[in-house]
Amino acid sequence: VLAHRRVDGLILSTTREDPRVLRALEALTMPVVLVDRVLSSPAFGKVTVDNVAASRQGVAHLVEEGHQRIAYLAGPQDIPIMRQRLQGFREGMAALGLPVDPHLIRTGDLQVRSGEQLTVELLRGPARPTAVMAANDLMGIGAMRAARRLGLRVPDDLAVLGFDDIPLAE
């Protein structure tokens, strides 16, 4: 539809790779730029974030602030950038000589409610984290809501680090 309406180009932000969509995009005669997505075709321009390095930096920041028991709220692992962010978390912990406790990694759906529910579970668990790192800001906001719901203060009682810098995260 866009090709027939004479648009000059397409900027695409998608989370999943569909081979049919990929073939259709490659057939377009207009430029296609992908945002935070690397597809297997060299036909597209791209603007990306180094998700692995950014997650490693997040871990380093939390450790600099004195945290060692850091929980991670992961996004769905069928989304490549979510796998990269979890990989960066694991690498960041390992680089600093900290163990990754599998009980402190939870996977959600990238929404506020999911972050809140998962963080309540973590905070009520036997090995409560002192910090929560979330794969996106919405789950980070959920983590903050969970802390408040349980009478904890952020960042005094629980540090929360999100990812993406959406306006709501301010």
Side-chain angles (χ1 to χ4, degrees):
V1 170
L2 291 171
H4 295 298
R5 294 200 182 212
R6 299 178 191 230
V7 297
D8 293 324
L10 180 63
I11 298 173
L12 183 65
S13 177
T14 180
T15 57
R16 291 175 174 80
E17 187 171 331
D18 181 333
R20 293 171 301 159
V21 173
L22 182 62
R23 285 190 299 275
L25 290 171
E26 288 174 327
L28 294 175
T29 58
M30 69 179 75
V32 176
V33 176
L34 304 173
V35 176
D36 206 18
R37 183 79 167 108
V38 179
L39 296 179
S40 54
S41 173
F44 311 122
K46 54 189 163 280
V47 178
T48 63
V49 170
D50 186 339
N51 289 289
V52 174
S55 289
R56 287 176 62 117
Q57 289 174 354
V59 169
H61 172 72
L62 291 171
V63 171
E64 286 171 10
E65 294 295 315
H67 301 283
Q68 293 191 1
R69 291 201 50 75
I70 303 170
Y72 188 78
L73 303 180
Q77 294 301 289
D78 62 333
I79 300 173
I81 64 171
M82 292 299 122
R83 286 195 306 268
Q84 294 165 4
R85 291 176 184 184
L86 178 56
Q87 175 188 343
F89 170 77
R90 290 180 186 280
E91 287 180 9
M93 294 288 283
L96 296 169
L98 296 173
V100 176
D101 182 344
H103 296 101
L104 294 181
I105 297 177
R106 304 291 169 98
T107 301
D109 64 5
L110 302 173
Q111 300 302 312
V112 172
R113 177 175 276 175
S114 175
E116 183 174 2
Q117 176 185 344
L118 294 172
T119 303
V120 166
E121 292 171 12
L122 287 164
L123 294 174
R124 288 185 174 159
R128 192 170 110 183
T130 63
V132 173
M133 184 170 164
N136 74 345
D137 283 338
L138 291 177
M139 286 202 304
I141 291 165
M144 293 172 66
R145 285 185 179 177
R148 183 177 55 212
R149 189 165 96 181
L150 296 177
L152 300 175
R153 295 166 299 148
V154 174
D156 300 329
D157 301 319
L158 180 72
V160 177
L161 189 145
F163 200 113
D164 292 326
D165 200 26
I166 63 172
L168 184 60
E170 290 179 12

